[in-house]
Amino acid sequence: QGWATACQSAPRWGVPLTADDYVLSRGWTDKAFRGCGMYGRCITVIHDRVSTDKGRLLADCHIHNAASSRQFRRTGFEVIARVRM
């Protein structure tokens, strides 16, 4: 679970956002379904539905969440900023 939102509704970010950007945040997988690849599949589906030629799909990931960081890298994300709040 979690949410994907157009940038106008996103919390403050460490990089400038445009009207065509989307942000993934607060995603998690229930313990009963961890290790099944569902999070990666969900990210891929969201990417396919919201991607445009102009916009980006950005993800918010806690720096110490190694499992989530790994999953984002596996689905093609790369680190563009580290923000301390």
Side-chain angles (χ1 to χ4, degrees):
Q1 294 193 9
W3 53 265
T5 185
C7 72
Q8 295 93 332
S9 304
R12 65 183 184 178
W13 268 71
V15 296
L17 297 172
T18 71
D20 295 312
D21 292 337
Y22 283 83
V23 174
L24 286 172
S25 185
R26 301 181 185 180
W28 62 276
T29 303
D30 186 274
K31 289 180 183 180
F33 298 100
R34 290 183 185 165
C36 300
M38 294 180 119
Y39 196 49
R41 282 183 245 153
C42 288
I43 293 168
T44 300
V45 168
I46 292 169
H47 176 272
D48 292 347
R49 292 191 182 203
V50 303
S51 291
T52 67
D53 292 336
K54 297 183 258 179
R56 301 169 294 175
L57 178 61
L58 303 165
D60 181 14
C61 179
H62 191 277
I63 194 166
H64 298 293
N65 188 338
S68 189
S69 294
R70 247 189 333 272
Q71 189 59 56
F72 281 121
R73 285 193 305 276
R74 285 183 190 151
T75 54
F77 283 80
E78 58 188 61
V79 175
I80 60 170
R82 286 195 167 91
V83 179
R84 186 179 195 148
M85 302 242 185

